[in-house]
Amino acid sequence: VSYDHHHKAGNLGDVFKHVALIAALDKTVVSTRHGPFRYADVFAGYAMNPVEPGKGQWEKGIKRIAGEALLKGNPHVASWARGWLNADGRAGATYPGSSWFAKEAYARRRKRIEMWLWDTEPEPIADLRKQFPEQRVHIFQRAAGRNEPGIRHADFVFVDPPNKKRWEEIHELVQHLDWPEEQSVLIWLPIGANTRLKPPIEDGKSIRIREQSGELGMCATRVLWAKGGPMIGCQLLYRVSLVAQEATREAIDAVAKNVKCARDGFLEVCHFPSCQEVRFPGG
Ligand SMILES: C[S@@+](CC[C@H](N)C(=O)[O-])C[C@H]1O[C@@H](n2cnc3c(N)ncnc32)[C@H](O)[C@@H]1O
């Protein structure tokens, strides 16, 4: 069964993913002097997703978080919310994908942009082509190769696969990026539960992935929002400038406060290394 992000758009995974992407990218764009800034999205998905009442996971994500308070606090959370909040402060008829948020981040800083987007499925590719007819957006219906120009010359690489199965390829891709010279990278991955332990904890593969990415000089933020079920949270792995790292963590912490208000339940945000833990024990 092929993966279709329309169903998942606007869920809690997207909330943390897109806030982190906007913060990390904004700070990287600001500190990059050359132009155009080059952005690569290896699993791009749709540029825009429909949001319909009674359908899809947005009802447990952005629908519960929506409110004008999002526009008044952290600037990166506000930028994210402006992408989908209606004038009445509720979730709108659409929710953007990562490439749309990325393009907005450049536009806000008035930077010239060149984008490389990959996806293997025809539907997201058709949507990306419709939304981004510009010459400077290169769209490919296939998997990205680590040696191709769009990856080798990217200033920022965003990696958002449908699941953890592609970790070995992703690890290899990150190994071949230039750091600390040029290339920033942000990866989002889901976290499942190890249900053999009571209470369940995160699955072993997620822990191993975080350790291996640490060996590649990456930092991580783990967000857990459930204690059981197929997906208990997500993690963001990032190798970005210190300024971008701080902004990413601040934006994640800021949006987590809104999630806490809206869900009134368990939520745990943990930053690695120098684990500045922010815990919200819930009822
Ligand atoms: C999690 S979704 C992307 C969501 C998007 N980045 C966003 O934030 O809105 C993962 C996407 O990867 C695509 N995909 C699956 N396998 C792929 C591969 N080997 N190379 C590129 N894209 C792939 C799927 O079609 C799907 O659209």
Side-chain angles (χ1 to χ4, degrees):
V1 178
S2 67
Y3 177 97
D4 191 339
H5 197 73
H6 275 340
H7 177 68
K8 302 199 174 192
N11 67 8
L12 276 180
D14 268 10
V15 167
F16 290 101
K17 170 196 304 182
H18 292 148
V19 163
L21 174 64
I22 290 167
L25 201 48
D26 181 48
K27 290 297 179 188
T28 311
V29 168
V30 166
S31 61
T32 302
R33 298 200 190 286
H34 66 249
F37 188 96
R38 290 156 302 199
Y39 171 81
D41 194 335
V42 180
F43 299 86
Y46 293 91
M48 196 53 76
N49 302 280
V51 157
E52 294 169 52
K55 265 176 86 175
Q57 297 180 359
W58 73 281
E59 299 215 320
K60 290 190 174 162
I62 54 168
K63 184 176 173 183
R64 293 185 180 179
I65 299 164
E68 282 174 8
L70 292 173
L71 302 173
K72 294 178 184 148
N74 179 282
H76 296 117
V77 173
S79 297
W80 166 70
R82 276 194 290 273
W84 55 272
L85 266 185
N86 275 340
D88 64 1
R90 288 195 245 168
T94 54
Y95 181 78
S98 48
S99 54
W100 191 94
F101 283 120
K103 193 125 190 288
E104 279 296 297
Y106 296 116
R108 259 191 308 279
R109 294 294 183 181
R110 298 175 194 279
K111 292 272 184 166
R112 277 200 307 137
I113 169 190
E114 188 148 13
M115 293 173 94
W116 280 263
L117 312 174
W118 292 266
D119 201 288
T120 46
E121 299 302 314
E123 294 85 1
I125 289 292
D127 183 51
L128 293 168
R129 291 203 169 120
K130 191 173 107 202
Q131 297 277 350
F132 304 125
E134 304 93 322
Q135 270 185 353
R136 286 188 175 278
V137 184
H138 313 281
I139 300 167
F140 306 97
Q141 189 183 346
R142 57 174 172 78
R146 64 177 157 79
N147 284 322
E148 59 183 293
I151 298 288
R152 276 195 291 117
H153 302 310
D155 296 303
F156 193 104
V157 180
F158 180 55
V159 184
D160 177 22
N163 52 52
K164 296 193 284 287
K165 288 185 195 148
R166 314 202 86 86
W167 170 245
E168 279 67 30
E169 286 163 46
I170 295 168
H171 184 268
E172 210 171 308
L173 185 144
V174 175
Q175 254 180 331
H176 283 81
L177 295 178
D178 255 345
W179 184 261
E181 291 306 316
E182 296 285 341
Q183 301 193 283
S184 299
V185 60
L186 173 68
I187 304 170
W188 181 94
L189 289 171
I191 294 180
N194 174 349
T195 48
R196 273 171 297 171
L197 295 172
K198 297 275 178 272
I201 60 158
E202 70 177 310
D203 64 283
K205 179 150 186 177
S206 293
I207 297 170
R208 275 196 303 284
I209 287 174
R210 200 161 51 247
E211 284 167 1
Q212 288 175 2
S213 63
E215 287 159 14
L216 295 178
M218 304 185 80
C219 302
T221 296
R222 183 186 66 192
V223 184
L224 299 179
W225 55 69
K227 293 189 172 164
M231 190 173 155
I232 61 168
C234 67
Q235 61 180 333
L236 289 139
L237 311 166
Y238 40 99
R239 201 168 61 182
V240 296
S241 69
L242 194 58
V243 175
Q245 194 191 116
E246 283 167 3
T248 305
R249 292 180 173 197
E250 278 170 24
I252 292 172
D253 291 344
V255 83
K257 294 203 175 85
N258 292 82
V259 173
K260 161 73 175 128
C261 297
R263 285 173 61 91
D264 199 24
F266 166 75
L267 187 76
E268 180 195 288
V269 178
C270 185
H271 303 296
F272 304 88
S274 67
C275 190
Q276 312 157 359
E277 227 165 332
V278 185
R279 280 180 183 276
F280 303 104

